[in-house]
Amino acid sequence: MSVIDELQQAVKNSPRQSPGDEHPMSNFLRMDRIPHIWCPTCGIGTTVNCFAQALERCSIPLDDVAVVSGIGCTGRVAGYVKTDSFHTTHGRAIPFATGLRLGNPKLKVVVFSGDGDLFSIGGNHFNHAARRNLDMTVICVNNFNYAMTGGQVAPTSPTDSVLTTSPYGNFETPFNLPFLAESVGATFVARWTALHIHRVTESMIKALMKPGFSFIEIIAPCPTIFERKNKFGDGLDRLKFYHDNSEIIHGAPTKDVDIGLRNKIIVGEFVDIERPTFIESMNAYLKRRLGSDYDIYEG
Amino acid sequence: MSRTEIKIGGFGGQGVILTGFIIGKAASIFDMKNATMTQAFGPEARGSACSSQVIVSEDKIRYPYVKRPNVMVMMSQEAFNKFSPQIDPHGIMLIEEELVDPAGLPDTVTVYSIPATRIAEELGKKIVLNMVMTGFFTAVSRIISREAARKAVADSVPPGSENLNLNAFEKGYEWGLKQLEG
Amino acid sequence: MDGDHACCEGALAAGCRFVAGYPITPSTAVVERFARRIPRVGGVFIQMEDELASSIAIQGAVWAGKKAMTVTSGPGYSLMMEHIGLAVMTECPCVFVNVQRGGPSTGLPTLPGQADMMQARWGSHGDYEIIALCPDSPQECFDFMIDAFNLSEQYRVPVMFMMDECIGHMIEKVTIPEADKIDVTPRNYTKLPPDQYLPFKPAENMVPEMVKAGDGYRIHVTGLTHDYRGYPVMSADCQEELVHRLVNKINRNEEKIRHIIATDIEDADVVVIAYGITARVAVDAIALARKQGVKVGLLRLVVVWPFPEAVIRDLANKGKALVMAEMNYGQIYYEVERCAQGKVPVLLAGHGGGDVHKTEAIAEKIVEANKCLS
């Protein structure tokens, strides 16, 4: 089944609404904050929808979930999901999540933020949380630019991208996020586009159920800025581009999955390894060294 | 009264800011008056109620915000609902007639309406609705001169699109003149 | 025990069970002691990648239900400013310890300073009030750390514990009381059910009740200006209500938070005002000046922020000349001068740090102030 078929199937299967019906997402979204601020055909809302479905299918009680965001368009996710949710400072969602998770290891902690927030100003925190294998799922919506501030070049903007601070085209080399994530120690790494909704949901389920540091990159249209400035058309045109140019290669060597402005996009689940988590290691080491003076830490 | 306050409202993407910019430019650069423009926007880039505010005056403008607009240009219902209570009781209200129901205004406010979006669509580009609105504003409010407004339009739109935008301006201007007569 | 170690023990006694830190002289001994001690009492220490991370990781832990703190010195403190603002805005009770050294920049890593006092007050952007305490001995590092945690819980505000290198590394006897003799303020959790609870609605004392993540309240917490629900509201009205309350909940309770120690000021013509290690040096200087016939007393500020304006105004109204002794070129000095309103002479005994004051330097200022009176 092609992704377009999948999309149509999903639309067909989604429950019909009559006026007065409760919104099917009302248990998951803060309906008193809707409408949201995202532009029509922006990809962020799609990823939130996938996330809601993933949580439901994992049967994780929403009371046990905490969503942490930084600043930016994707940084607004924490403001709309009806879980305990924290909208922190720019780039610092991951260290906040570190404290939250270590403070209460029963919480399912999810960091939901954008590429600029997680990999520019917050880049170092990503590296260290992955290195420590802290229990958290990091979902990065990558729209290749700083959209909230009006479309500046980001560390993920493909070379040649035209943005307000790269008006003559970006001459820098962007990050290859799956390669970066694998190098610094993430135990689960996947990449999809906002078109691959079922696969996004499936990967989210795997990430949520997997102990340790899991990372999902979702490439998403930014119709107002990135697509317009780089002449990709609107959000729908961009989904068509994803459809025509995505190639699924599970287990692809992450060093080969870098993204060019108009090149093929390699998607798939690239990394799935086992490694003791921060809390597992801490408990094992301290128990061995301190014996009866140490109680296994459970929060 | 030397100071005239103008508030333009609509949803993001309608060209609310550019309309204010052109009015201010016409007044200050081409009509040799003083103008101050401020804008209000949320974090969202599209769809929310946004506004631009222009003050035109013979004298130097000090207080920068619009408090009680003499002229309002409202292009969406949300903006109308949010902003219309601020209007000067003897002010004039210009609306996009297919998008705004001007209910609840005091009788003393004069309302002028125009199907700006439809006119823009007939010209082939929905996005020039703000130029239709600018022409309409120029004719009805008589705060800026037609010549100054035309120069400001030509000076503010992307190169190559001057004719389309000036056409849109003229359609709005003509509609305004007709409304004044009728 | 030195001040750094006593600070750690005080925090543990206050119930602190999560510490995030980054090594920096002269505060490193505090994190080292936490790393050894906290696993034995059921807590977690994590050495973060930098001070930006430390200063927000503790806030994650607070929302998970822990009492938490971080500790640093000048350069690291500068990096933490962002999250002092976040803690103020989200009313996150936590403690920031600054073992002050000489600055600016890398300055004097191993030598004392008291020049971060205004940074503690104003360092993060925006307008706000915090609480700052200055201990003058290892014993006080223990005792007042407990106060610091208690105040942070009572007012839901980040509390600055402003030590200095001298006290941090100074070893003295520290008496640790029995656990049941230590007064610990528990977090003020709400008793309201989720459908009635508004996370940022002020209760009595202007301070909202708290909840923690995972308890089913599904709260939203943001550094943006927010309403009682915690939802962002971008308006001047909401800003006025929220920020005014954040300021007032400290200012209007200044008298309750106030902690000063006054010695021999009733009959004094001159009063020396000092905090931290400088207050101890001032005691000797006062003895020296008294030998020269000056009637002089000491006003020691334990809580420097919020500033005890009324106390200084009262001294000025009584016509006492004031000498501000601090290790900088005038920070609290200007606060004192402001409150004195030109009624009495106000002199600064200050220097740039790197060493405590010479006793004679303060004594000379006392004598000079006395001359100004006559």
Side-chain angles (χ1 to χ4, degrees):
Chain A
M1 192 159 67
S2 83
V3 273
I4 294 283
D5 293 337
E6 279 183 35
L7 209 59
Q8 282 166 350
Q9 189 81 46
V11 171
K12 210 179 295 168
N13 290 347
S14 65
R16 286 265 166 239
Q17 282 258 278
S18 335
D21 275 4
E22 209 181 342
H23 190 278
M25 298 270 279
S26 63
N27 188 38
F28 177 77
L29 292 178
R30 298 184 191 274
M31 297 307 289
D32 47 355
R33 290 214 64 212
I34 303 296
H36 56 67
I37 65 164
W38 298 312
C39 305
T41 72
C42 165
I44 299 170
T46 311
T47 66
V48 174
N49 203 343
C50 294
F51 180 56
Q53 293 187 17
L55 285 176
E56 195 177 344
R57 285 188 36 209
C58 296
S59 312
I60 302 171
L62 290 181
D63 285 355
D64 294 348
V65 178
V67 175
V68 185
S69 293
I71 300 294
C73 288
T74 314
R76 292 301 178 106
V77 168
Y80 298 122
V81 296
K82 202 157 75 185
T83 64
D84 285 316
S85 57
F86 300 91
H87 183 220
T88 65
T89 49
H90 195 17
R92 320 293 171 216
I94 287 178
F96 185 96
T98 298
L100 193 63
R101 169 72 196 182
L102 292 180
N104 181 358
K106 291 173 201 79
L107 290 173
K108 185 62 80 178
V109 176
V110 180
V111 170
F112 217 124
S113 217
D115 47 303
D117 184 79
L118 287 168
F119 292 99
S120 186
I121 188 167
N124 196 35
H125 307 308
F126 180 89
N127 296 345
H128 288 275
R131 174 182 64 78
R132 296 182 179 114
N133 202 21
L134 275 158
D135 261 319
M136 64 176 75
T137 297
V138 175
I139 298 168
C140 173
V141 178
N142 181 2
N143 58 13
F144 302 122
N145 79 117
Y146 289 92
M148 174 72 82
T149 47
Q152 293 74 36
V153 72
T156 49
S157 307
T159 307
D160 297 334
S161 305
V162 173
L163 288 154
T164 62
T165 49
S166 58
Y168 310 112
N170 178 26
F171 49 80
E172 295 183 20
T173 304
F175 274 137
N176 168 350
L177 297 182
F179 184 42
L180 174 67
E182 183 180 22
S183 318
V184 293
T187 54
F188 179 86
V189 178
R191 171 200 280 161
W192 298 107
T193 77
L195 180 70
H196 299 89
I197 51 172
H198 286 298
R199 297 175 196 274
V200 168
T201 307
E202 293 298 328
S203 285
M204 282 178 173
I205 291 169
K206 284 186 197 167
L208 287 166
M209 300 313 284
K210 191 173 175 76
F213 189 91
S214 48
F215 173 64
I216 302 173
E217 175 189 14
I218 305 160
I219 292 162
C222 173
T224 304
I225 301 169
F226 188 83
E227 316 313 343
R228 188 167 57 85
K229 280 196 166 301
N230 290 286
K231 312 211 181 316
F232 279 110
D234 64 15
L236 200 59
D237 296 326
R238 187 60 160 151
L239 289 182
K240 183 82 168 50
F241 176 92
Y242 296 157
H243 175 258
D244 296 340
N245 293 280
S246 303
E247 185 181 347
I248 300 174
I249 310 180
H250 291 301
T254 54
K255 71 177 170 47
D256 298 337
V257 304
D258 49 332
I259 296 175
L261 185 57
R262 289 174 204 281
N263 299 359
K264 190 168 71 176
I265 301 171
I266 310 285
V267 296
E269 290 176 356
F270 303 131
V271 176
D272 193 352
I273 58 167
E274 305 299 323
R275 199 155 81 76
T277 68
F278 180 91
I279 291 180
E280 285 166 359
S281 299
M282 178 178 83
N283 277 331
Y285 269 72
L286 292 176
K287 191 76 203 166
R288 202 181 318 144
R289 294 299 303 273
L290 299 178
S292 59
D293 284 347
Y294 185 73
D295 292 329
I296 294 298
Y297 182 73
E298 289 170 341
Chain B
M1 188 185 65
S2 161
R3 180 184 168 111
T4 307
E5 299 191 343
I6 304 154
K7 186 157 193 154
I8 301 142
F11 48 78
Q14 277 184 322
V16 167
I17 307 296
L18 185 60
T19 302
F21 183 78
I22 288 172
I23 293 168
K25 188 186 252 185
S28 62
I29 310 279
F30 300 113
D31 276 344
M32 308 304 284
K33 296 180 182 176
N34 293 297
T36 297
M37 173 184 162
T38 53
Q39 38 185 307
F41 54 90
E44 50 280 76
R46 288 287 179 267
S48 65
C50 69
S51 68
S52 66
Q53 316 176 74
V54 184
I55 301 159
V56 176
S57 173
E58 304 282 349
D59 305 326
K60 202 164 183 179
I61 295 158
R62 290 181 183 81
Y63 187 80
Y65 293 129
V66 163
K67 285 192 266 196
R68 193 151 277 285
N70 309 101
V71 184
M72 275 194 151
V73 181
M74 290 296 132
M75 300 194 261
S76 79
Q77 192 65 45
E78 193 189 353
F80 178 87
N81 295 346
K82 190 168 170 188
F83 303 125
S84 66
Q86 302 163 359
I87 197 167
D88 174 62
H90 300 286
I92 62 172
M93 169 68 77
L94 280 60
I95 55 166
E96 202 315 344
E97 68 179 31
E98 293 181 3
L99 296 178
V100 179
D101 169 17
L105 283 175
D107 296 341
T108 48
V109 171
T110 318
V111 179
Y112 298 98
S113 57
I114 180 169
T117 312
R118 182 132 51 89
I119 293 172
E121 276 170 347
E122 282 164 9
L123 289 168
K125 277 265 186 190
K126 196 169 75 175
I127 57 167
V128 297
L129 93 107
N130 59 339
M131 295 302 151
V132 178
M133 226 46 195
T134 307
F136 185 54
F137 168 88
T138 307
V140 171
S141 71
R142 285 178 274 190
I143 294 166
I144 52 174
S145 69
R146 180 184 187 175
E147 254 337 280
R150 285 182 57 91
K151 283 184 198 163
V153 168
D155 208 41
S156 309
V157 298
S161 70
E162 293 90 344
N163 282 342
L164 172 68
N165 281 292
L166 283 171
N167 248 340
F169 175 87
E170 285 304 325
K171 292 276 182 214
Y173 193 85
E174 284 160 26
W175 190 281
L177 289 183
K178 263 184 240 151
Q179 286 246 317
L180 283 181
E181 285 160 14
Chain C
M1 187 183 286
D2 71 15
D4 280 357
H5 288 259
C7 160
C8 167
E9 290 302 323
L12 293 174
C16 175
R17 290 296 178 271
F18 184 90
V19 176
Y22 186 80
I24 182 167
T25 306
S27 73
T28 310
V30 185
V31 291
E32 287 173 341
R33 191 173 178 101
F34 272 118
R36 295 185 76 83
R37 287 276 288 126
I38 212 166
R40 295 166 180 267
V41 296
V44 174
F45 167 75
I46 182 167
Q47 183 173 312
M48 295 299 285
E49 51 273 20
D50 57 30
E51 287 89 348
L52 293 161
S54 305
S55 56
I56 195 167
I58 61 169
Q59 298 184 43
V62 167
W63 286 105
K66 298 292 185 211
K67 287 193 178 182
M69 63 164 270
T70 186
V71 49
T72 189
S73 185
Y77 198 53
S78 289
L79 292 183
M80 290 183 178
M81 288 301 127
E82 176 179 27
H83 294 136
I84 290 174
L86 179 71
V88 168
M89 197 58 151
T90 57
E91 302 184 67
C92 177
C94 52
V95 176
F96 289 75
V97 178
N98 179 356
V99 187
Q100 294 174 89
R101 63 196 226 184
S105 191
T106 318
L108 298 169
T110 60
L111 296 170
Q114 285 185 320
D116 304 346
M117 297 306 296
M118 277 295 169
Q119 187 184 24
R121 171 70 185 81
W122 297 111
S124 196
H125 57 274
D127 210 344
Y128 60 90
E129 294 282 340
I130 46 80
I131 297 174
L133 285 79
C134 292
D136 80 353
S137 66
Q139 179 68 52
E140 288 191 356
C141 287
F142 180 88
D143 296 339
F144 295 162
M145 262 316 266
I146 297 165
D147 291 357
F149 272 94
N150 289 349
L151 287 166
S152 80
E153 295 296 342
Q154 217 174 328
Y155 294 101
R156 281 189 63 177
V157 69
V159 172
M160 309 297 132
F161 198 68
M162 305 299 283
M163 296 167 54
D164 60 70
E165 184 277 338
C166 180
I167 289 166
H169 287 159
M170 181 168 69
I171 298 176
E172 287 182 341
K173 182 175 80 178
V174 175
T175 308
I176 295 181
E178 296 293 327
D180 58 5
K181 300 247 159 55
I182 296 174
D183 238 350
V184 170
T185 306
R187 188 152 298 160
N188 186 19
Y189 287 120
T190 189
K191 291 180 186 69
L192 292 171
D195 57 345
Q196 290 170 28
Y197 172 70
L198 289 168
F200 291 93
K201 187 177 175 197
E204 270 177 84
N205 227 10
M206 289 177 273
V207 184
E209 296 174 334
M210 256 188 110
V211 294
K212 60 180 189 289
D215 281 355
Y217 285 83
R218 303 209 206 163
I219 49 165
H220 182 58
V221 177
T222 176
L224 289 168
T225 296
H226 46 269
D227 60 15
Y228 290 170
R229 297 171 300 175
Y231 291 0
V233 178
M234 300 297 101
S235 79
D237 289 344
C238 188
Q239 171 79 355
E240 169 64 18
E241 180 176 353
L242 173 64
V243 181
H244 210 173
R245 178 174 64 76
L246 295 180
V247 167
N248 280 340
K249 74 176 177 181
I250 304 301
N251 275 349
R252 295 214 179 139
N253 288 305
E254 186 275 319
E255 237 175 297
K256 283 191 217 156
I257 300 166
R258 185 184 297 169
H259 189 167
I260 52 173
I261 301 170
T263 316
D264 300 331
I265 63 170
E266 281 310 311
D267 72 326
D269 297 323
V270 180
V271 173
V272 178
I273 304 167
Y275 54 89
I277 186 65
T278 310
R280 289 171 59 146
V281 180
V283 174
D284 280 3
I286 285 167
L288 214 58
R290 276 187 177 265
K291 271 189 204 156
Q292 295 174 43
V294 184
K295 283 199 238 165
V296 51
L298 174 67
L299 177 70
R300 205 194 129 199
L301 310 177
V302 174
V303 169
V304 174
W305 306 120
F307 193 67
E309 295 175 3
V311 176
I312 308 297
R313 271 203 301 273
D314 184 51
L315 292 177
N317 286 336
K318 288 177 178 157
K320 298 176 195 299
L322 304 174
V323 174
M324 183 69 219
E326 55 183 341
M327 257 189 271
N328 55 56
Y329 296 111
Q331 293 196 4
I332 305 304
Y333 168 70
Y334 291 108
E335 288 291 287
V336 173
E337 200 178 44
R338 173 174 68 83
C339 296
Q341 295 175 311
K343 290 176 183 163
V344 290
V346 181
L347 274 62
L348 170 67
H351 68 83
D355 192 0
V356 299
H357 282 69
K358 290 187 174 58
T359 312
E360 296 75 15
I362 301 176
E364 275 165 25
K365 288 287 172 187
I366 297 170
V367 173
E368 193 185 330
N370 195 44
K371 278 187 192 143
C372 292
L373 280 180
S374 53

